[in-house]
Amino acid sequence: MKILVCISKTPDTTAKIAFTDNNTKFATAGVQWIINPYDEWYALIRAIEIKEKDSSASITLVNVGGVDAEPIIRKALALGGDEAIRISHDPQESYDTAVQISAIAKDGGFDLILTGRETIDYLGSSVGGMLSEMLDLPYVAMATKLELTGKTATVTREIEGGVEICEVELPVVISCQKGMAEARIPNMRGIMAARTKPLKVVEPIAVEAMTSTLSFELPPPKAGVKLVDADNVEELVRLLHDEAKVI
Ligand SMILES: Cc1cc2nc3c(=O)[nH]c(=O)nc-3n(C[C@H](O)[C@H](O)[C@H](O)COP(=O)(O)OP(=O)(O)OC[C@H]3O[C@@H](n4cnc5c(N)ncnc54)[C@H](O)[C@@H]3O)c2cc1C
């Protein structure tokens, strides 16, 4: 069983969001980077659980990004990835990212290609679907559970008001979300081992971008809080009606 896990780098959830270059670029100065939580907690940890049951399984990590992605790749190796490939490129859109990953995946003989449900920064939720199309493989999105029997995967996914359980033959691309696995932290042995695990850096292939970003905008700052005296219910009702417009 060969598993490819797509690992993206995202700003820590506490990072201050700002833009540069006339609001066309995310300001990365001082930003703390983490593994996209959907990739780490669900895609990667489920892959590790599968490997724990099947010792012949192997986990390859792939990232499209610059050298600044290497710390998060090493962390993913410390958690339990066997080897990693960094495609040395700053992708500006999901399509570019998917093209780069598909170039690695197409001759890799992977049975399972796992992605996160979405990145928590650009929220594209599109790389998995694009990959499956480029690789001509089935795609199951937003999986909450994955069980394998031989070359058959049984995948549970959330749908409005319930769940859908589907069966699919490997190879398959699956995007993962909460429910797939329990988050873990790397142990000291994993951290030491990760230092010597192979991290191959490959050049990107030329891709013509299909979209371009005109500008980013921050949401308006939150309005100040108004304190209303506990006895002044009339004023509270007036504010809720006239200003907040919620009643
Ligand atoms: C305007 C713009 C500028 C950008 N500039 C840069 C930049 O300079 N440097 C940079 O590194 N990124 C940059 N990005 C982010 C990069 O393009 C994203 O990797 C890509 O847009 C995919 O994000 P998404 O939200 O569409 O992914 P989604 O479709 O939401 O991601 C789903 C899953 O796909 C996988 N995935 C997504 N991205 C990657 C990746 N890069 N490597 C491996 N797996 C991945 C993950 O498993 C993820 O959970 C930029 C994005 C935009 C829109």
Side-chain angles (χ1 to χ4, degrees), residues 17-29 214-216:
I17 305 301
F19 302 104
T20 60
D21 295 39
N22 209 15
N23 286 337
T24 57
K25 285 205 166 84
F26 173 54
T28 54
L214 298 181
S215 70
F216 293 110

Side-chain angles (χ1 to χ4, degrees), residues 156-236:
T156 305
R157 51 190 303 277
E158 251 169 43
I159 55 170
E160 185 60 37
V163 295
E164 177 188 7
I165 300 165
C166 47
E167 204 172 80
V168 60
E169 291 304 301
L170 305 184
V172 60
V173 180
I174 298 175
S175 78
C176 308
Q177 63 168 342
K178 190 171 177 188
M180 281 288 266
E182 287 294 323
R184 295 181 186 183
I185 51 168
N187 57 30
M188 190 46 77
R189 203 163 149 222
I191 294 168
M192 298 306 284
R195 292 184 183 174
T196 51
K197 287 183 180 173
L199 194 174
K200 191 160 99 185
V201 180
V202 300
E203 288 305 309
I205 54 171
V207 176
E208 204 160 312
M210 293 180 95
T211 56
S212 63
T213 301
L214 298 181
S215 70
F216 293 110
E217 278 178 30
L218 288 172
K222 281 191 185 150
V225 172
K226 272 190 184 161
L227 294 175
V228 180
D229 195 276
D231 299 332
N232 198 351
V233 177
E234 268 178 28
E235 175 63 359
L236 176 64

Side-chain angles (χ1 to χ4, degrees), residues 2-4 50 110-114 146 148 170 172 174:
K2 284 191 76 179
I3 309 172
L4 182 69
I50 291 168
F110 296 103
D111 304 289
L112 263 180
I113 299 177
L114 301 181
L146 162 66
L148 296 171
L170 305 184
V172 60
I174 298 175

Side-chain angles (χ1 to χ4, degrees), residues 5-9 24 36 38-39 43 62-66 68 89-95 97 101 114-128 212-213 216:
V5 182
C6 303
I7 296 287
S8 53
K9 152 188 140 275
T24 57
N36 182 45
Y38 290 106
D39 309 351
V62 63
N63 168 263
V64 189
D68 56 351
H89 181 50
D90 276 338
Q92 304 291 313
E93 55 163 14
S94 326
Y95 171 74
T97 306
I101 298 174
L114 301 181
T115 74
R117 169 181 122 164
E118 65 194 359
T119 58
I120 63 161
D121 49 5
Y122 292 102
L123 296 178
S125 214
S126 39
V127 168
S212 63
T213 301
F216 293 110

Side-chain angles (χ1 to χ4, degrees), residues 127-155:
V127 168
M130 289 183 184
L131 264 181
S132 78
E133 173 64 21
M134 290 167 190
L135 297 167
D136 198 19
L137 294 178
Y139 179 49
V140 185
M142 319 259 179
T144 55
K145 206 169 162 199
L146 162 66
E147 296 300 338
L148 296 171
T149 313
K151 289 277 178 191
T152 306
T154 306
V155 190

